[in-house]
Amino acid sequence: MLIVQKYGGTSVGSPERIGKVADRIAKTIAKGHQVVVVVSAMGHSTDALVDLAAQVTENPDKREMDALLATGEQVSTALVSMALQKRGIQAKSFTGWQAAVQTEPVHGAARIETIDPQPLSDYLKENGVAVVAGFQGIAKGAVTTLGRGGSDTTAVAIAAALKADLCEIYTDVDGVYTADPRKVTGAYKLEQVSYDEMLELANLGSQVLHPRAVETAKRHQVALVVRSSFTDAEGTVVKDMTTMEGLRVVTGVAQEKEVARLAIVGVPPSSKPLTNMFRTLAKQNVNVDVIVQSILREEEVDVSFTVSEADLDRALELLEALKESLGYREIVHEKGLCKVSIVGAGMISNPGVAAQMFEALEAAGARVKMVSTSEIKVSCVIESSYLEAAINSVHASFLLDQE
Ligand code: ASP
Ligand code: MG
């Protein structure tokens, strides 16, 4: 098999850990597999580089920021290659551009556009292990980066370009859990999860996989496994829903903290509040999440929606400025909220899921303030003080008996 193995920051966090990674790669090769390795920067070294830039200027140039941050991964590629060579394995480091990872010409969070498989497949033919820098690419001759956590995406995109049989993401947790095991009693590791469920979970802030990596895996049907580099435990397989045996109604419980709610009350329907308001907020990069529009009275519309607490003041300012054109009566806002979500592909064919979720939240004492649903997700906004009780109650209600 051709396997792409990606090792995250903690997995290559020290010389000793790098040795362990090299041992694991050596073992994979000894089993007769071909391996391409993708690595992150060591430990928290990317954060350290961000700090360093902040000490030089409060407004670093984006091109230079990418040039700086890309060095972290290069350190890892060289050291992992050396560790492999020491074990008698032919290995070579590749920067993003040496591996022909072309991105769009954007700094800070560029998307990968193409990967020419030639340089890596040539080296595979020589029986060498290519150790590729994650998180970086090249566009119009400049180094670009893919956004924090982007090495996962590099690994999946390389697996797709090389038509690898498997992409293994090695991290410091042993897979994808039904909920955050540090906060939810009885949370357990999932054997498998579909791309769509994983995408929802990743977008809801589960840190295990970069959302774009999941998107790429789904698009190219890359077989993906998330597992720990610290143990031999089997990880979680992320794959297409159609290949899964038995869909769970609920696969995972996720949470988001520091949510604020805004309500624009008494808008005349003629002012098209949805279009005008949300276009303005989007232009100013205020991310709007749960949206509820209610037309209770013919002549008036109420619109409420959530933003992150960090964006609240800016959102309020922007909406105050629109007061005249929208013609609303007042804005109400509320902080100290959070969002609890359940995700599951089997939800589509199971009515009553939302009702069961409301019941579980009620049992935890939480009042549901807002709800949004998709085919495979139900999200409820509640007060933050109930968060921990709420995720435990929801998890117990849906997941404990499914293990
Ligand atoms: N080193 C980068 C970061 O810390 C990319 C990654 O680890 O995936 O965000
Ligand atoms: Mg990561």
Side-chain angles (χ1 to χ4, degrees), residues 267-274 276 325-328:
V267 195
S270 56
S271 79
K272 299 210 179 78
L274 285 182
N276 294 339
S325 67
L326 288 174
Y328 60 80

Side-chain angles (χ1 to χ4, degrees), residues 6 9 40-41 46-47 73 135 147-152:
K6 182 260 173 177
S40 289
T46 309
D47 292 331
E73 270 66 19
F135 174 61
R148 297 303 303 269
S151 295
D152 295 340

Side-chain angles (χ1 to χ4, degrees), residues 6 8-9 40 149-152 171 207-210:
K6 182 260 173 177
S40 289
S151 295
D152 295 340
T171 173
Q207 301 287 337
V208 211
L209 276 177
H210 198 236

Side-chain angles (χ1 to χ4, degrees), residues 202-281:
N203 280 325
L204 286 166
S206 134
Q207 301 287 337
V208 211
L209 276 177
H210 198 236
R212 228 171 250 175
V214 187
E215 249 173 60
T216 310
K218 180 181 173 178
R219 187 160 359 106
H220 300 280
Q221 297 283 304
V222 174
L224 200 61
V225 175
V226 180
R227 54 187 301 188
S228 167
S229 68
F230 292 78
T231 68
D232 283 323
E234 282 188 23
T236 302
V237 178
V238 188
K239 58 180 182 176
D240 203 73
M241 203 171 81
T242 53
T243 65
M244 290 182 48
E245 315 89 50
L247 292 179
R248 290 155 174 272
V249 176
V250 173
T251 299
V253 179
Q255 75 259 17
E256 189 181 315
K257 289 193 246 177
E258 290 164 17
V259 172
R261 185 176 76 94
L262 285 136
I264 316 293
V265 186
V267 195
S270 56
S271 79
K272 299 210 179 78
L274 285 182
T275 326
N276 294 339
M277 255 168 43
F278 293 118
R279 181 152 297 146
T280 306
L281 292 167

Side-chain angles (χ1 to χ4, degrees), residues 36-39 77 92-96 99 101 120 130-134 154 158:
V36 171
V37 179
V38 174
V39 287
T77 56
K92 196 159 87 177
S93 62
F94 285 75
T95 60
V101 180
L120 296 178
V131 183
V132 186
T154 306
I158 284 178

